[in-house]
């Protein structure tokens, strides 16, 4: 307390780029001097005895740690604890985002892509070199039997862990929603299918075998057509004549006559005009 009282208050100075540079140079010099003071060490091989001692030391440390840990009383996770945990996570996320500064995005150049691909290839080669050679083992009938038994046991345990569900009746509202969902799915599927397939032809190779089959199919169709024609020749299909059919037939005939007469009248008028024009040309 007396020391702090005698020091008094200081004047804070801003950290300038020059001070940052001097600080970094000092750190580099300290690191170089530290490395120069350290002498050259002689590497020693890791022997099996050293490996055994290291493993024993790890086991002893683990046992001592577990002995020093006392017994704790488990506490149930209450809804209040869950709420506090979620709030703490949200607060931590907000504080983390506030502490982040603004970064300058850099474009990915072809050189960066090339370096990244080379690094991936090197990592893959290094990983494969680090893997040792494995010895393949044959799958015996005993192994197959054990595998099937394990699948059966897993299936039984899975079904035992499943709880019983409560069946719910199908109400008219649920039926309506189900039908609407099926209609929506059908419409979406049809739109997707139309966009992907409609207007696109399927290219099939025109091989000699396909040409032969196509010609054979044409001959068969022609022969079948002639057979049907010969069988139906000389026969007719009786049609029942009712008043409605008669009326429609008469109206169609009237329309045809009116249309024909109109066209014939126009042709006669055009012919008369052409003759008059020729007469004027000859007299003129």
């Amino acid at each position: 307390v007396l020391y702090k009282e005698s020091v008094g208050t200081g004047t804070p100075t801003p950290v300038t780029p020059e001070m940052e540079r001097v600080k970094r140079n000092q750190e580099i010099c300290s690191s170089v001097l530290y490395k120069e003071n350290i002498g050259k060490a002689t590497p020693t091989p890791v022997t099996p005895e050293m490996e055994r001692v290291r493993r024993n030391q790890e086991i002893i440390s683990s046992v001592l740690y577990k002995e020093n840990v006392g017994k704790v009383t488990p506490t149930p996770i209450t809804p209040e604890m869950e709420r506090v945990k979620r709030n703490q996570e949200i607060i931590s996320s907000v504080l983390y985002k506030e502490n982040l500064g603004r970064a300058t995005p850099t474009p990915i150049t072809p050189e960066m892509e090339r370096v990244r691909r080379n690094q991936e290839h090197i990592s893959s080669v290094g990983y494969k070199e680090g893997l040792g050679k494995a010895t393949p083992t044959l799958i015996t009938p005993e192994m197959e039997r054990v595998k099937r038994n394990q699948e059966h046991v897993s299936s039984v345990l899975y079904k035992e862990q499943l709880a019983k569900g409560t069946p719910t009746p199908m109400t008219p509202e649920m039926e309506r929603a189900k039908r609407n969902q099926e209609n929506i799915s059908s419409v979406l599927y049809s739109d997707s299918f139309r966009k992907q397939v409609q207007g696109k032809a399927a290219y099939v190779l025109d091989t000699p075998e396909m040409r032969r089959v196509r010609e054979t199919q044409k001959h068969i169709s022609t022969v079948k057509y002639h057979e049907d024609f010969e069988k139906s020749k000389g026969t007719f299909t009786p049609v029942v004549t009712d008043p409605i059919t008669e009326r429609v037939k008469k109206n169609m005939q009237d329309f045809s006559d009116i249309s024909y007469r109109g066209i014939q009248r126009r042709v006669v008028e055009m012919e008369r005009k052409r003759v008059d024009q020729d007469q004027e040309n000859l007299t003129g």
Side-chain angles (χ1 to χ4, degrees):
V1 176
L2 294 175
Y3 172 74
K4 291 182 179 180
E5 290 179 354
S6 61
V7 169
T9 59
T11 303
T13 58
V15 179
T16 61
E18 182 65 20
M19 294 174 67
E20 288 286 340
R21 187 182 63 80
V22 172
K23 182 180 178 182
R24 284 197 300 273
N25 292 339
Q26 188 63 34
E27 291 175 354
I28 294 170
C29 293
S30 299
S31 176
V32 172
L33 292 175
Y34 174 75
K35 292 180 181 179
E36 288 179 353
N37 292 330
I38 294 177
K40 293 182 179 180
T42 304
T44 57
V46 179
T47 61
E49 181 66 18
M50 294 174 67
E51 286 287 339
R52 185 181 64 79
V53 172
R54 185 172 61 83
R55 283 197 300 273
N56 290 340
Q57 188 64 34
E58 290 176 355
I59 294 169
I60 293 169
S61 299
S62 177
V63 171
L64 292 175
Y65 173 76
K66 292 180 180 179
E67 288 180 354
N68 292 329
V69 175
K71 295 182 179 179
V72 297
T73 303
T75 57
I77 299 176
T78 61
E80 182 65 19
M81 294 173 67
E82 288 287 341
R83 185 183 64 80
V84 172
K85 182 180 177 182
R86 285 196 300 271
N87 291 340
Q88 189 63 33
E89 291 175 355
I90 295 170
I91 293 170
S92 299
S93 175
V94 171
L95 293 176
Y96 173 75
K97 292 179 180 179
E98 288 180 353
N99 291 330
L100 288 177
R102 294 183 180 178
T104 303
T106 58
I108 299 176
T109 61
E111 181 65 19
M112 293 172 68
E113 286 286 339
R114 185 182 65 80
V115 171
R116 185 173 61 82
R117 285 197 299 271
N118 291 339
Q119 189 64 34
E120 290 176 355
H121 294 325
I122 293 170
S123 299
S124 176
V125 172
Y127 173 74
K128 292 179 180 178
E129 290 179 352
L131 291 176
K133 294 182 179 180
T135 304
T137 57
L138 297 175
I139 298 176
T140 60
E142 181 66 18
M143 294 173 67
E144 287 286 342
R145 185 181 65 79
V146 172
K147 182 180 177 182
R148 285 197 299 273
N149 291 340
Q150 187 64 34
E151 290 176 355
H152 294 325
V153 172
S154 300
S155 177
V156 171
L157 292 176
Y158 173 74
K159 292 179 180 178
E160 287 179 355
Q161 292 174 2
L162 288 177
K164 294 182 179 179
T166 304
T168 57
M170 291 291 291
T171 61
E173 182 64 21
M174 293 174 68
E175 287 287 341
R176 186 183 64 79
K178 182 179 177 182
R179 285 196 301 272
N180 291 340
Q181 188 64 33
E182 291 176 354
N183 294 334
I184 293 170
S185 300
S186 177
V187 171
L188 293 176
Y189 174 78
S190 300
D191 290 342
S192 177
F193 179 78
R194 190 179 300 108
K195 291 178 182 178
Q196 294 177 3
V197 178
Q198 190 175 13
K200 297 181 180 179
Y203 297 97
V204 182
L205 295 177
D206 191 9
T207 60
E209 182 65 19
M210 293 183 66
R211 286 195 293 270
R212 184 183 66 79
V213 172
R214 189 167 61 248
E215 291 295 330
T216 304
Q217 190 65 34
K218 286 181 180 178
H219 294 323
I220 293 171
S221 300
T222 304
V223 171
K224 180 67 175 172
Y225 173 76
H226 283 295
E227 287 180 358
D228 295 340
F229 177 75
E230 291 295 333
K231 289 179 181 179
S232 62
K233 187 166 61 175
T235 61
F236 62 93
T237 303
V239 180
V240 180
T241 303
D242 54 351
I244 296 177
T245 305
E246 288 292 337
R247 183 175 60 80
V248 173
K249 183 178 178 181
K250 187 175 182 305
N251 291 338
M252 290 298 296
Q253 189 173 359
D254 293 340
F255 287 143
S256 299
D257 293 342
I258 293 171
S259 178
Y260 174 74
R261 290 172 184 173
I263 294 173
Q264 187 68 19
R265 189 181 302 110
R266 191 178 300 112
V267 171
V268 172
E269 290 178 357
M270 291 176 64
E271 184 67 20
R272 186 182 299 111
K273 289 181 180 179
R274 186 178 64 80
V275 173
D276 294 341
Q277 187 70 26
D278 293 342
Q279 290 293 332
E280 292 178 357
N281 292 334
L282 290 175
T283 56

